[in-house]
Amino acid sequence: NYTVVADKGLEINFLNGASIISYSHLKLSGTEESPIIITSTDSTGQGILVLGTKAESVLDYVYFNNLSNPSQNGWELTGAVTFYESDVSINNCVFSNNRRGDDYLNIVRSKFDIKNTLFSDTKGDAFDADFSKGSISNVSVMRCGNDAIDISGTILKIDNVFFDTIGDKGLSAGENSRIIANNVNISNSEIAVCSKDMSVIKISDVNLQNIKIGFTAFQKKDEFGPGRIQGSNVQMKKVSFPYLIETYSN
């Protein structure tokens, strides 16, 4: 029930395996000229966990670099930066060069808004949301090891995103998720858009280039059902398989 406040120009350096665990919401307010920098110069530092807060965290002009998922004393998180049951607004931020973990940013059972933000050189998923609700706009993901955006049990609105050099999927929705997306550009990806396990993706104004599979929908888990994708105004260039749809999905 505190507010953790940081002003422009602050630099936090995680050394000797350090991390931050906060049961209070964050208010990190950098500027374009003087951002807040959170990094680990000795490459041992871990990440940040915010959990169970009553108020929304706000991150503005915060640059995360060279972090990894917190792991100690027998427990481990998947994300380097995690908000668990803690609403968050992220604007003008950079998430770059994480060293370890399934996700760079993981949001669980929370509301979120991510704008004007860059994810670059991520080992696994750039952004993963579980059982949450939120929006993403003016976001770029560059050189991602796995999925650019991966959601489960989540409702997500997307507007104006650019993904390039994605190791697996650009947009991935699972476990009865819902995505409404507009102005989506995906280049150099294995799979552009994936809907599985009763998820529904409605996507418009899409530009796909140099993709192996454009759209795929299927059922992965027995307790769910088929996936669905509805696309409009879709442009494809150098897409090996425009779509790969399992029986009963569409």
Side-chain angles (χ1 to χ4, degrees):
N1 300 322
Y2 286 86
T3 302
V4 182
V5 178
D7 204 355
K8 63 182 181 179
L10 175 70
E11 295 187 14
I12 299 177
N13 190 8
F14 289 154
L15 303 175
N16 301 318
S19 60
I20 289 177
I21 299 175
S22 178
Y23 293 86
S24 299
H25 67 283
L26 311 181
K27 186 177 181 181
L28 311 183
S29 304
T31 66
E32 184 175 5
E33 297 77 17
S34 187
I36 293 169
I37 297 173
I38 302 175
T39 188
S40 175
T41 57
D42 69 356
S43 295
T44 68
Q46 298 184 23
I48 296 176
L49 168 62
V50 180
L51 67 164
T53 63
K54 294 182 178 180
E56 178 188 68
S57 291
V58 178
L59 281 59
D60 198 10
Y61 285 106
V62 183
Y63 294 176
F64 300 91
N65 181 63
N66 202 35
L67 304 181
S68 67
N69 58 317
S71 175
Q72 54 186 287
N73 300 326
W75 65 268
E76 183 176 42
L77 298 176
T78 62
V81 180
T82 302
F83 290 85
Y84 184 91
E85 294 182 349
S86 301
D87 298 346
V88 60
S89 175
I90 298 172
N91 191 21
N92 301 308
C93 292
V94 176
F95 297 82
S96 62
N97 298 294
N98 63 326
R99 303 189 319 277
R100 191 182 70 238
D102 293 341
D103 325 306
Y104 207 135
L105 173 63
N106 186 205
I107 295 177
V108 185
R109 295 195 185 109
S110 307
K111 294 180 181 179
F112 63 89
D113 181 32
I114 304 173
K115 297 183 292 186
N116 309 312
T117 290
L118 169 67
F119 296 84
S120 69
D121 301 285
T122 60
K123 294 294 184 183
D125 297 343
F127 172 63
D128 188 307
D130 302 300
F131 313 108
S132 297
K133 182 177 182 180
S135 61
I136 293 174
S137 60
N138 301 317
V139 167
S140 296
V141 179
M142 312 287 291
R143 299 176 299 279
C144 173
N146 201 48
D147 299 338
I149 295 177
D150 182 18
I151 66 171
S152 298
T154 292
I155 299 173
L156 175 60
K157 185 176 181 180
I158 296 173
D159 183 52
N160 193 29
V161 293
F162 177 79
F163 306 149
D164 185 35
T165 312
I166 307 301
D168 194 3
K169 298 177 286 292
L171 288 180
S172 179
E175 298 184 8
N176 198 26
S177 291
R178 298 290 184 271
I179 293 179
I180 297 177
N182 299 286
N183 302 313
V184 176
N185 294 272
I186 305 175
S187 302
N188 304 302
S189 175
E190 283 291 304
I191 299 170
V193 179
C194 171
S195 176
K196 56 185 183 289
D197 295 334
M198 294 176 63
S199 295
V200 178
I201 298 176
K202 295 183 179 181
I203 188 168
S204 60
D205 298 318
V206 188
N207 192 318
L208 307 182
Q209 184 169 331
N210 196 23
I211 307 289
K212 185 174 181 180
I213 300 173
F215 297 91
T216 184
F218 55 91
Q219 179 176 346
K220 183 178 180 181
K221 299 180 179 179
D222 291 340
E223 61 268 36
F224 291 95
R228 181 182 179 189
I229 301 172
Q230 178 181 323
S232 61
N233 193 20
V234 178
Q235 305 294 324
M236 297 190 188
K237 183 177 181 181
K238 295 183 179 179
V239 176
S240 301
F241 301 94
Y243 54 86
L244 188 61
I245 309 298
E246 189 179 54
T247 303
Y248 305 118
S249 294
N250 65 77

